[in-house]
Amino acid sequence: MPNRDIIVRASLLVTAVVALIALYLFLVDVTGLMPRCPIKMLTGFDCPGCGSQRALHSLLEGHLYESFHHNLLLPFAAAYLAVCGFHWINPGWNRMTAIYTRLTSPAALWVIVAIVAAWTIVRNIVFQ
């Protein structure tokens, strides 16, 4: 892939991420509101994503431990998405392609589903 394409893709991704982060932080700081989880409201149980907004806010402010406290999976999901983003920017980068291929293989996706299911059960039994 030519360097120009890599620069364009990287610029697009960085611009989109920065804009979304700025919008998110602005809306949270101005309104102080974070939407409530409909699953938690209906069932009383935490879904796998419950706490992810607080975790994202903590992660963006550089508080990694606090982010894990709010939602254990979010920092890992952010790293997973970062790998996917780097692969999208430069699919010709062999090392990143190898990592991306492993992380998006059917077996890896089933492991991710199992981890999310296990986390849902554990957080509702142990942490309630």
Side-chain angles (χ1 to χ4, degrees), residues 48-67:
C50 279
S52 58
Q53 290 179 63
R54 292 183 303 275
L56 177 63
H57 196 75
S58 297
L59 192 62
L60 292 175
E61 291 181 342
H63 305 291
L64 186 61
Y65 176 77
E66 196 175 307
S67 178

Side-chain angles (χ1 to χ4, degrees), residues 18 47-48 78 104:
V18 168
C47 76
T104 58

Side-chain angles (χ1 to χ4, degrees), residues 1-18 82-93 97 100:
M1 175 178 282
N3 283 340
R4 182 170 186 242
D5 290 344
I6 293 170
I7 292 170
V8 169
R9 284 178 177 230
S11 300
L12 286 172
L13 187 62
V14 168
T15 302
V17 168
V18 168
V83 168
C84 292
F86 283 126
H87 180 265
W88 179 77
I89 289 171
N90 188 1
W93 185 10
T97 299
Y100 175 82

Side-chain angles (χ1 to χ4, degrees), residues 7 9 15 34 38 42 50 58 61 95 105 109 116 123:
I7 292 170
R9 284 178 177 230
T15 302
M34 290 188 186
L42 291 172
C50 279
S58 297
E61 291 181 342
R95 187 166 186 87
S105 69
L109 296 176
V116 170
R123 80 181 309 187

